[in-house]
Amino acid sequence: MKRFDVLGMSCAACSARVEKAVNSVKGVSSCSVSLLTNSMNVEGTASADDIIKAVEKAGYRAAVKGAQTPVKTEGTEKNSFVVRLAASVIFLLPLMYISMGSTMWGFPLPSFFEENYTALGITELLLSLAVMVTNQRFFINGFKGIIHLSPNMDTLVALGSAASFGYSVYALFAMTAAQSSGGAEAASAYMHEFYFESAAMILVLITVGKMLESRSKGKTADALRALMELAPQEAVVIRDGNECRVPVSEVSTGDVFVVRPGESIPADGIVIKGSSAVDESALTGESIPVEKKEGDSVSAATLSRSGYMECRTTGVGEDTALSKIIKMVSDASASKAPVARVADIIAGFFVPVVAGIALVAGLIWLAAGKSVGFALARSISVLVISCPCALGLATPVAIMAANGVGAKNGILFKNAAALENTGKTMVVALDKTGTVTEGRPSVTDIIPADGFSEKRLMELAYALESKSGHPLAAAVVEKAEKLGVSLYDSEGFNEVAGMGITAQINGKVIRGGKKEFISEKAEILPETEKKIKELSVCGKTPMLFSEAGKFAGIIAVADTIKKDSAEAVKMLKNMGIRVVMLTGDNRHTAGAIGELAGVDEVIAEVLPDGKAREIEKLKKYGRTVMVGDGINDAVALTTADTGIAIGRGTDVAIDAADVILMNSRLTDVPAAIRLSRAALRNIHENLFWAFIYNIIGIPLAAGAFIPVFGLTLSPMFGAAAMSLSSFCVVTNALRLNFKDIHSSRRDRRIRRVMSEKSVELPGENHRRVVFIEGMMCGHCEARVKKALEQTEGISSAEVSHEKGTAVLSLGSDIKNKTIKKAVEKEGYKVKKICEAEHS
């Protein structure tokens, strides 16, 4: 993707014109222009020179995005507006005093002007001309747009102001002739034909609106600006054994830099010496500092709170995590959401249509017998009240504000489409390992046998497992170290592949591993075997140990559920979203985790390519989100309508996803959906007001309400209304900055609507109840539910082992024997099947 800065755009019509021009270049596959950031993203094989030429041919300027940031451009633009406004007001105040103060309110004028109406008119001409020269940008850009057949908002303003000025000059000449022939009394009649003050006031009010709009637009980029300002400017590096302070730009990959307490980390790196608690809140939104020790990675712009560290640089400049986040937020803000298409289409022909309406309105009033001045005032009002800016800004300002809020909370949307689609989610599919669970095994149960204490059992296990490289051994070692268990020396360590390990402690043979391995030398009682089965059903892996031929006990290990998983699932369900867990694990393990998390459905024993197929099936219920972190989730992430990757996941998963959660917290999934919904509401509000403003304002300005209500609108009030419309749209978008995306207090359940992807669930007259014998627990429920819902003709199944029933919603007619066969294939008995009672 090529990125460009585009200069000279003033409204949505401009961005539409640039987009059209670039899309016509050979080799361009897609182009997205952002009026908000004055930037353009282009995909395809076309050269940068050809793209720039196309933009210049359309009447604008473009340059490959370089060192200059949108923030700097923004500041320069605001300063320009302030200077122009100050200069304009200096000339506008005496103009308004002369033109309106003296005629409307009788303010005194110098004796020189008494009955010298020609001098009065010439003074007004000169003062209004000074304002027009000060704001010449409107005329240059506006008439350039006409020359390039791409009229824009500046064209409307320039035409309105020029028409007011031109007619006033004509009236001045007519007044001069009248004063020469008929004296002061004849000349005074022409004073009411002057629109010099309108020509000037239109420009000043539009400038005020542009300045307010620019300030508000700047606030939407606060999050991006804050990220840019995080990066430290200097770094302390070790060269030739000495510490020296250098600019960050001189730090290279492989350099060793030093970080002391209170200092920002200058580049991405790996800790090679020391340790510290690092505050990563700037990147992840997580307020609790993270302990970093040798071998851990650190990121640029994070803050060392305690301890001394030496780190080897792994990423500098654009390769740092901070730069990638800035780029992602910037690109997402510059991209366009699908919801903006209607506004873009309208903006493309808005200005020519408005110019046509203004001309027709003027002609109609002339034909109705009104004066030229009255007809001209109606035409000018139409020109200056029409605002394509509000239409063009309605979507991008909300997108940028939402992306800023997301970045502050460690939620990164790759593009505007992802931000829009996330809020329309109806199904969330969660990968189990690393997403719902911690992704690493830990000890859950320590069950010593008779004659052994927990401490003794852990001592035996610690001595054995400390020499093993198995992942489950690491869990035992971690638990032992946490409990402060003593480590005994062991001899004769031997590992039997797939079965267990043996060693000797003080001459006694110690064994650890599977039940079959331990039972070779030690007796396993029936009570123990029952306990092993219970642990297995709960998704835990029992590890058995013996000492000198005597059974010592069981240590159960499992991939435990994350602390926030159940809360996240509850939030999603409260939002009206169906939650499904996908995993390659066995049904017992998956069912146990699914029950703890509280998901609606568990789909177990699914291979990586099978996950994509399951996602396709889930899409029939509506827009589907897949949340995962591993390489095996990449296909499913791309298959889903929206892919969400856990930030600590693999690069493959992150690349395949549309949304990235930097914190690896599952509660950020409902937070992302909440933010997306808020952004969508804000966009719809903005578009509504932008459309309503123009739908009401243009007829009002044209005088359509004069015959009915007697309502009319002067050009000056039209200009004021135009200025405020854009300002209000941008200010409304700023409300997103106050949205608490982690609060569920205002969550609303989504209403299921029919679409090409949704399915109509059958009513009560298409339901059957199946009475089933043999279901004992939640895992049995899950097995029966899956078997039934995979049967063609059954849309959904609500299974209860306590009631011994399955209530089926049928999508089509299905025979009872087909239902019976599906259940009994899983090892359960169907007692009877009957139609559900109607309520």
Side-chain angles (χ1 to χ4, degrees):
M1 183 187 288
K2 299 181 180 73
R3 296 171 179 81
F4 300 84
D5 289 317
V6 182
L7 303 177
M9 296 189 299
S10 60
C11 69
C14 296
S15 58
R17 175 67 180 173
V18 172
E19 211 164 271
K20 184 178 179 182
V22 174
N23 275 323
S24 66
V25 175
K26 188 177 180 181
V28 172
S29 57
S30 69
C31 170
S32 176
V33 179
S34 171
L35 175 64
L36 181 66
T37 58
N38 291 317
S39 62
M40 174 174 67
N41 294 341
V42 181
E43 290 186 351
T45 57
S47 67
D49 289 340
D50 289 343
I51 292 168
I52 291 171
K53 284 178 185 176
V55 174
E56 290 175 347
K57 191 175 179 181
Y60 306 92
R61 289 170 291 152
V64 176
K65 192 173 273 294
Q68 190 180 35
T69 65
V71 177
K72 292 178 182 176
T73 305
E74 206 174 87
T76 306
E77 187 182 45
K78 280 191 282 190
N79 291 336
S80 170
F81 283 132
V82 171
V83 171
R84 278 167 48 197
L85 183 61
S88 299
V89 169
I90 291 172
F91 296 110
L92 181 67
L93 289 176
L95 173 61
M96 296 303 293
Y97 183 90
I98 292 170
S99 64
M100 300 186 75
S102 61
T103 56
M104 293 177 67
W105 298 299
F107 291 167
L109 289 172
S111 57
F112 173 76
F113 289 122
E114 287 182 12
E115 297 192 357
N116 190 351
Y117 295 110
T118 301
L120 207 60
I122 292 172
T123 303
E124 287 188 31
L125 182 149
L126 292 174
L127 288 170
S128 63
L129 189 62
V131 175
M132 293 169 76
V133 170
T134 302
N135 294 279
Q136 59 186 284
R137 173 185 154 184
F138 289 114
F139 297 95
I140 294 170
N141 291 341
F143 291 115
K144 189 188 288 184
I146 295 175
I147 293 168
H148 288 93
L149 300 179
S150 56
N152 51 41
M153 188 207 75
D154 288 343
T155 303
L156 296 178
V157 175
L159 286 174
S161 181
S164 299
F165 184 80
Y167 180 75
S168 300
V169 171
Y170 160 76
L172 177 60
F173 278 105
M175 184 183 70
T176 303
Q179 188 163 355
S180 299
S181 59
E185 188 174 342
S188 65
Y190 285 92
M191 286 298 294
H192 297 289
E193 298 294 321
F194 285 166
Y195 287 95
F196 287 120
E197 77 284 352
S198 292
M201 181 62 85
I202 288 168
L203 299 174
V204 173
L205 289 173
I206 299 299
T207 302
V208 171
K210 281 288 184 183
M211 185 181 73
L212 293 174
E213 179 189 314
S214 178
R215 288 172 64 88
S216 298
K217 279 161 62 178
K219 288 181 180 178
T220 64
D222 278 349
L224 192 57
R225 183 187 297 106
L227 285 173
M228 290 175 174
E229 292 173 352
L230 285 174
Q233 301 302 308
E234 293 183 325
V236 177
V237 298
I238 298 177
R239 290 179 179 168
D240 299 326
N242 298 315
E243 291 185 10
C244 56
R245 189 173 292 274
V246 298
V248 170
S249 58
E250 294 181 13
V251 178
S252 304
T253 302
D255 283 350
V256 175
F257 60 84
V258 174
V259 184
R260 291 183 170 83
E263 292 181 349
S264 288
I265 295 171
D268 287 4
I270 294 176
V271 181
I272 58 174
K273 183 180 179 181
S275 63
S276 174
V278 176
D279 182 352
E280 297 181 331
S281 58
L283 298 187
T284 66
E286 179 58 61
S287 59
I288 301 173
V290 179
E291 290 294 331
K292 299 289 184 179
K293 57 184 184 300
E294 289 183 25
D296 290 341
S297 60
V298 292
S299 300
T302 54
L303 185 66
S304 175
R305 291 293 186 187
S306 62
Y308 169 92
M309 290 190 299
E310 290 182 14
C311 309
R312 190 174 303 281
T313 306
T314 57
V316 294
E318 293 183 356
D319 294 328
T320 63
L322 174 66
S323 294
K324 290 174 182 175
I325 290 172
I326 291 172
K327 178 177 172 295
M328 194 177 296
V329 174
S330 181
D331 286 351
S333 299
S335 62
K336 286 195 174 180
V339 73
R341 287 173 189 157
V342 175
D344 286 345
I345 291 169
I346 292 173
F349 57 80
F350 185 88
V351 174
V353 169
V354 167
I357 292 172
L359 179 61
V360 170
L363 292 173
I364 289 173
W365 284 114
L366 284 173
K370 294 292 185 180
S371 67
V372 173
F374 182 88
L376 185 65
R378 303 288 69 74
S379 294
I380 294 170
S381 295
V382 170
L383 289 172
V384 297
I385 199 173
S386 307
C387 188
C389 274
L391 282 173
L393 290 171
T395 300
V397 290
I399 293 293
M400 177 167 253
N403 272 300
V405 173
K408 287 178 185 176
N409 289 276
I411 301 169
L412 303 179
F413 297 90
K414 284 189 176 179
N415 51 56
L419 176 60
E420 178 182 337
N421 292 335
T422 302
K424 299 175 182 177
T425 299
M426 299 182 78
V427 181
V428 170
L430 305 172
D431 171 53
K432 181 184 79 72
T433 307
T435 302
V436 176
T437 65
E438 294 289 351
R440 55 185 179 83
S442 59
V443 173
T444 58
D445 300 87
I446 303 171
I447 309 168
D450 290 341
F452 289 84
S453 64
E454 283 192 12
K455 181 183 177 184
R456 181 56 181 168
L457 176 58
M458 284 303 300
E459 286 174 346
L460 297 174
Y462 191 16
L464 271 176
E465 304 295 353
S466 62
K467 293 189 176 181
S468 173
H470 196 280
L472 298 184
V476 174
V477 170
E478 183 183 354
K479 184 68 173 179
E481 289 175 347
K482 192 178 289 186
L483 295 174
V485 173
S486 301
L487 177 60
Y488 290 98
D489 290 332
S490 59
E491 299 173 345
F493 179 83
N494 182 43
E495 189 165 350
V496 180
M499 294 300 291
I501 51 180
T502 63
Q504 290 186 8
I505 301 176
N506 298 326
K508 294 181 179 180
V509 177
I510 311 299
R511 295 168 71 91
K514 293 183 177 179
K515 183 191 76 171
E516 294 80 6
F517 183 65
I518 299 301
S519 62
E520 291 176 1
K521 301 292 182 180
E523 183 183 3
I524 306 296
L525 298 174
E527 296 81 14
T528 303
E529 294 205 14
K530 184 179 178 182
K531 189 65 180 177
I532 292 169
K533 286 181 181 178
E534 288 177 2
L535 292 170
S536 298
V537 167
C538 291
K540 300 175 182 180
T541 302
M543 302 169 65
L544 281 64
F545 296 89
S546 67
E547 180 183 24
K550 189 177 181 182
F551 177 63
I554 304 170
I555 295 178
V557 176
D559 182 8
T560 54
I561 190 171
K562 287 182 178 178
K563 293 179 180 177
D564 65 338
S565 291
E567 181 187 358
V569 170
K570 184 180 178 182
M571 286 180 177
L572 290 169
K573 291 169 76 172
N574 287 340
M575 295 165 87
I577 295 171
R578 178 182 176 87
V579 186
V580 178
M581 190 177 79
L582 293 175
T583 179
D585 277 356
N586 64 73
R587 293 178 180 179
H588 290 309
T589 302
I593 296 297
E595 192 173 351
L596 287 172
V599 299
D600 293 308
E601 182 182 358
V602 176
I603 303 175
E605 299 175 5
V606 183
L607 296 175
D609 58 339
K611 286 185 179 181
R613 285 196 295 271
E614 294 296 338
I615 292 293
E616 287 290 357
K617 291 178 185 177
L618 291 172
K619 282 184 177 182
K620 70 182 180 180
Y621 296 106
R623 287 190 179 272
T624 300
V625 162
M626 172 66 192
V627 186
D629 70 330
I631 293 174
N632 63 335
D633 299 321
V635 178
L637 287 168
T638 55
T639 303
D641 294 301
T642 305
I644 299 181
I646 299 296
R648 292 174 188 169
T650 64
D651 290 341
V652 175
I654 290 172
D655 289 341
D658 303 295
V659 184
I660 299 170
L661 308 181
M662 298 295 292
N663 290 324
S664 299
R665 285 190 311 230
L666 201 56
T667 48
D668 280 348
V669 174
I673 293 171
R674 240 175 249 125
L675 176 58
S676 174
R677 289 182 180 181
L680 274 173
R681 277 196 304 273
N682 197 280
I683 289 170
H684 291 148
E685 289 165 1
N686 286 346
L687 287 172
F688 172 79
W689 289 115
F691 279 119
I692 287 296
Y693 163 81
N694 284 295
I695 288 170
I696 295 175
I698 292 175
L700 176 63
F705 299 142
I706 292 176
V708 182
F709 304 107
L711 293 175
T712 185
L713 188 74
S714 76
M716 283 186 289
F717 285 113
M722 179 185 184
S723 300
L724 286 173
S725 65
S726 296
F727 174 67
C728 291
V729 164
V730 176
T731 303
N732 184 48
L734 291 176
R735 293 191 303 112
L736 287 170
N737 290 315
F738 303 103
K739 174 71 178 175
D740 182 3
I741 62 174
H742 291 289
S743 172
S744 59
R745 285 185 301 121
R746 297 187 179 181
D747 283 348
R748 294 180 182 176
R749 295 180 69 89
I750 54 176
R751 180 170 57 89
R752 291 185 181 271
V753 296
M754 295 305 296
S755 71
E756 60 183 9
K757 288 184 180 176
S758 61
V759 294
E760 185 175 0
L761 298 179
E764 288 296 322
N765 58 328
H766 290 88
R767 292 165 72 89
R768 289 183 202 167
V769 180
V770 184
F771 293 87
I772 303 169
E773 192 176 84
M775 294 191 297
M776 304 295 291
C777 62
H779 314 303
C780 300
E781 284 182 4
R783 290 179 64 182
V784 172
K785 182 180 177 68
K786 182 180 179 183
L788 288 168
E789 290 185 345
Q790 286 182 341
T791 303
E792 189 175 351
I794 299 176
S795 299
S796 65
E798 297 298 325
V799 184
S800 170
H801 75 275
E802 295 171 342
K803 296 179 182 177
T805 61
V807 181
L808 311 183
S809 295
L810 308 180
S812 60
D813 191 25
I814 183 174
K815 294 182 179 180
N816 285 345
K817 67 178 183 180
T818 305
I819 298 171
K820 183 178 180 182
K821 185 178 178 181
V823 174
E824 293 185 344
K825 190 177 178 181
E826 295 298 317
Y828 304 96
K829 185 179 179 181
V830 174
K831 292 194 290 184
K832 66 175 179 176
I833 303 174
C834 60
E835 295 294 323
E837 294 181 4
H838 302 336
S839 55

